[in-house]
Amino acid sequence: MLPSIIVVLMLIPLTCGENPAIQVILTNKGLQYGKHVGAGWIQDKLELVTLPDISGEIHISIFGSIDYTLTGITITKCDFPEPSVEFYQDVTGFKTSISGLSVALTGGWITHLGVIHDRGSFNMAIFSVDVTSVVTLGKDPDGHLSVTSVSCDAHIGDVDIQFHGGASWIFQPFVKHFKGYIRSEIEHRVCPDVEESIVMLEGYLQAMKVSFDVDQDLTLDLPLTGLPVIDASNLNLGFKGEFYSIKTHTDPPFESQPFTVPEQSGYMLSVGLSEFTLNSASYGYYSAGLFQALINDSMIPPGSHLHLNTSAMGPFIPQLPKMYPGLLMNLQVYAREVPLFSFQPGAVKLGFQGAVKAFAIQPNGTQTPLFKLNVDSKFSGKVWIAGGRLKGSVTMNNFTLMLVSSEVGTFQTDAMESIARIGARVVLAKLNEKLGKGVVLPRMKQAQLVNTVLEVEEGFIAISSDAQVLLPDRDFN
Ligand SMILES: *[C@@H]1O[C@H](CO)[C@@H](O)[C@H](O)[C@H]1NC(C)=O
Ligand SMILES: *[C@@H]1O[C@H](CO)[C@@H](O)[C@H](O)[C@H]1NC(C)=O
Ligand SMILES: *[C@@H]1O[C@H](CO)[C@@H](O)[C@H](O)[C@H]1NC(C)=O
Ligand SMILES: *[C@@H]1O[C@H](CO)[C@@H](O)[C@H](O)[C@H]1NC(C)=O
């Protein structure tokens, strides 16, 4: 009994799956905009399409049967009504339909009657084409989004053909007898073409990366954590959103918590970014030993009154200049714990627990340890989006220095703490100047975000935005 309970308990974390740390929600507004852009794109592409040849037979009593081929068929004009697309919950996918499409085509005809060959040109009109395609969305084992055709129906209302040249006057009167065959030939090709383009799209999705190196130290894993979720008005994709240290690739000792991005149907898309994502980056740097720095005197601005020189430390540690006069010092600064962010309504908080080890550099290069301080600080910040830029501001809420150990005897840290606090405020002021100017929102070659808003919520940041596709020579508004 007990072993089986243990097995079940061990399986729970696996079967529950992990909570997505990044969620992307496509609203109906976004879907309709995407469709509008896609329809324009398809119409442009259709006019460049060459259709495969169509061959058949015409039976004319006095001649018997004439073999014909319609070749070099190109679309000259396409009356492309706005298609409809909707979230389709039954199959977790989309249903796309177009109805009343008309196409004008042109091409050449060739006939064979025994050894007699004849040729000419033709114009064709295809009327009232209706196509309905249903696709389902899924997730492959590697976490790619997948798309599969579930059904496709195509119907062509009517076809009209005008033959020109050669002996076309002979068979033009018989068009009404064989156009049904041509209509069904074309009708049968529509769905295989639709399905082929869905397979191509699936190929693109499979080829997409689910892991990205952000710099030389961190990689971001972005596979889907579960199946896409679709309701009548949204598509929700959940991504892992975890940063790893490239060096250690270990999971942080904390987990992504579930969160619900508020519905924002007025925007095309919403993105929820949990504090887990930011903290996994922090853990990645920490586990790779990157939250540490060595500060020496050459890094102190030349104009500064304070120098990393034992002789200048008298005001803070009176005994130091007497014990080690005139020596330069090094400071080893590092994080004692993973610096963790917490998102709270309207604010981002960061706790930093660090330590400083001070050394005196002997003339022979030996570093003599002097003392160790703990530095604990808390920051809170705001982030917002204005004028297409992500901006922010940070304030320091708490800053304390505590002497942990000393090789030079005990000393009061108050004076040092005040100086360090002033130093930290100077650094923050510079940082705030940069944050106030902000950084431009990421922008791709073909699309940019517009009307973007950002809210910090409990445990996550919610970004809602419209998108604008940038295609030359086309106005989609
Ligand atoms: C201080 O550190 C920098 C960078 O590590 C180094 O280039 C420089 O020589 C060091 N200066 C002293 C005085 O040790
Ligand atoms: C440290 O400061 C003292 C007093 O200002 C100076 O005499 C000494 O040269 C300095 N040491 C170094 C290595 O610069
Ligand atoms: C370097 O100098 C210090 C202080 O004079 C001394 O204690 C230490 O043994 C010396 N180290 C070496 C490697 O010479
Ligand atoms: C600052 O930190 C100290 C030590 O951790 C604590 O006693 C104090 O209450 C904190 N002050 C604020 C404003 O958080």
Side-chain angles (χ1 to χ4, degrees):
M1 185 64 193
L2 192 62
S4 60
I5 291 175
I6 292 172
V7 167
V8 168
L9 287 178
M10 280 170 61
L11 284 175
I12 286 173
L14 294 174
T15 49
C16 283
E18 55 199 328
N19 293 313
I22 296 180
Q23 294 182 42
V24 176
I25 295 163
L26 177 72
T27 65
N28 192 44
K29 184 182 177 190
L31 181 66
Q32 299 311 319
Y33 179 72
K35 171 205 72 177
H36 192 59
V37 172
W41 184 81
I42 291 171
Q43 174 154 24
D44 287 353
K45 292 284 165 214
L46 270 182
E47 298 186 355
L48 304 171
V49 162
T50 300
L51 278 72
D53 293 355
I54 298 173
S55 296
E57 282 180 348
I58 316 170
H59 299 282
I60 301 175
S61 48
I62 46 168
F63 296 109
S65 133
I66 305 173
D67 294 332
Y68 68 89
T69 301
L70 304 181
T71 187
I73 312 171
T74 53
I75 295 173
T76 51
K77 194 167 181 300
C78 181
D79 184 6
F80 197 80
E82 187 84 17
S84 81
V85 60
E86 61 195 63
F87 295 113
Y88 199 46
Q89 279 168 277
D90 297 8
V91 299
T92 312
F94 301 116
K95 181 176 181 173
T96 311
S97 1
I98 184 158
S99 88
L101 172 76
S102 311
V103 186
L105 305 147
T106 183
W109 59 265
I110 302 166
T111 55
H112 301 272
L113 176 62
V115 293
I116 307 165
H117 291 194
D118 194 6
R119 60 176 64 234
S121 64
F122 73 87
N123 294 320
M124 177 162 33
I126 306 176
F127 303 105
S128 309
V129 181
D130 297 344
V131 184
T132 300
S133 158
V134 174
V135 296
T136 179
L137 299 179
K139 162 185 165 296
D140 79 1
D142 295 329
H144 294 101
L145 182 65
S146 71
V147 53
T148 320
S149 173
V150 176
S151 67
C152 175
D153 293 300
H155 179 76
I156 293 178
D158 198 9
V159 171
D160 193 18
I161 311 172
Q162 290 294 324
F163 291 97
H164 308 287
S168 56
W169 55 274
I170 296 178
F171 49 86
Q172 181 67 42
F174 297 91
V175 163
K176 59 178 180 294
H177 297 301
F178 63 86
K179 74 178 186 182
Y181 168 78
I182 293 175
R183 184 183 67 83
S184 80
E185 276 293 290
I186 297 173
E187 199 171 76
H188 285 126
R189 286 173 187 185
V190 175
C191 280
D193 279 356
V194 169
E195 274 151 13
E196 194 181 312
S197 49
I198 293 167
V199 168
M200 254 172 66
L201 176 61
E202 168 72 0
Y204 283 124
L205 292 172
Q206 297 294 303
M208 276 172 78
K209 292 205 287 183
V210 292
S211 176
F212 305 84
D213 286 353
V214 256
D215 58 21
Q216 68 209 45
D217 303 306
L218 282 191
T219 169
L220 173 63
D221 266 16
L222 268 184
L224 287 172
T225 51
L227 290 172
V229 177
I230 279 191
D231 63 25
S233 52
N234 288 305
L235 160 67
N236 187 321
L237 300 174
F239 298 93
K240 187 172 186 190
E242 180 169 343
F243 286 98
Y244 286 98
S245 154
I246 292 173
K247 205 160 90 188
T248 64
H249 212 276
T250 48
D251 281 308
F254 43 83
E255 283 178 358
S256 168
Q257 301 301 314
F259 64 97
T260 308
V261 183
E263 188 161 334
Q264 292 279 14
S265 56
Y267 292 92
M268 293 181 191
L269 52 99
S270 297
V271 177
L273 180 76
S274 84
E275 60 191 19
F276 172 83
T277 298
L278 207 52
N279 287 332
S280 67
S282 187
Y283 178 77
Y285 283 127
Y286 178 81
S287 70
L290 293 167
F291 279 128
Q292 52 182 312
L294 195 69
I295 299 175
N296 64 26
D297 192 50
S298 24
M299 295 168 180
I300 307 284
S304 167
H305 292 298
L306 196 68
H307 272 279
L308 286 179
N309 178 325
T310 49
S311 295
M313 291 290 144
F316 312 111
I317 314 166
Q319 66 273 34
L320 187 59
K322 295 177 195 124
M323 293 170 76
Y324 298 106
L327 296 183
L328 286 181
M329 292 165 67
N330 270 347
L331 300 179
Q332 226 181 63
V333 184
Y334 57 92
R336 303 196 319 271
E337 307 273 347
V338 187
L340 289 182
F341 292 89
S342 98
F343 294 162
Q344 285 159 25
V348 177
K349 309 250 168 167
L350 171 68
F352 184 83
Q353 292 168 284
V356 179
K357 279 187 190 164
F359 299 86
I361 309 164
Q362 300 287 354
N364 64 9
T366 299
Q367 301 211 14
T368 306
L370 301 176
F371 56 87
K372 182 183 161 189
L373 295 168
N374 278 355
V375 185
D376 292 346
S377 47
K378 288 193 180 122
F379 302 90
S380 76
K382 291 192 188 320
V383 276
W384 67 91
I385 287 173
R389 299 171 85 91
L390 178 66
K391 301 182 177 186
S393 71
V394 185
T395 53
M396 189 167 66
N397 296 341
N398 203 348
F399 184 92
T400 54
L401 281 188
M402 215 165 55
L403 187 63
V404 180
S405 61
S406 172
E407 283 79 8
V408 294
T410 184
F411 57 91
Q412 292 295 313
T413 54
D414 308 18
M416 203 183 268
E417 187 178 283
S418 320
I419 286 285
R421 196 176 279 141
I422 291 168
R425 294 240 153 85
V426 170
V427 172
L428 277 187
K430 286 203 174 139
L431 180 63
N432 277 329
E433 207 178 292
K434 282 199 182 143
L435 291 174
K437 286 189 188 132
V439 290
V440 180
L441 293 176
R443 172 185 174 142
M444 287 170 287
K445 218 191 304 173
Q446 300 89 354
Q448 68 178 11
L449 298 177
V450 291
N451 308 330
T452 311
V453 292
L454 181 155
E455 272 330 314
V456 184
E457 310 270 357
E458 186 72 43
F460 66 100
I461 287 179
I463 299 163
S464 297
S465 187
D466 286 337
Q468 194 169 34
V469 172
L470 310 161
L471 291 180
D473 309 320
R474 208 166 241 293
D475 181 18
F476 289 104
N477 293 313

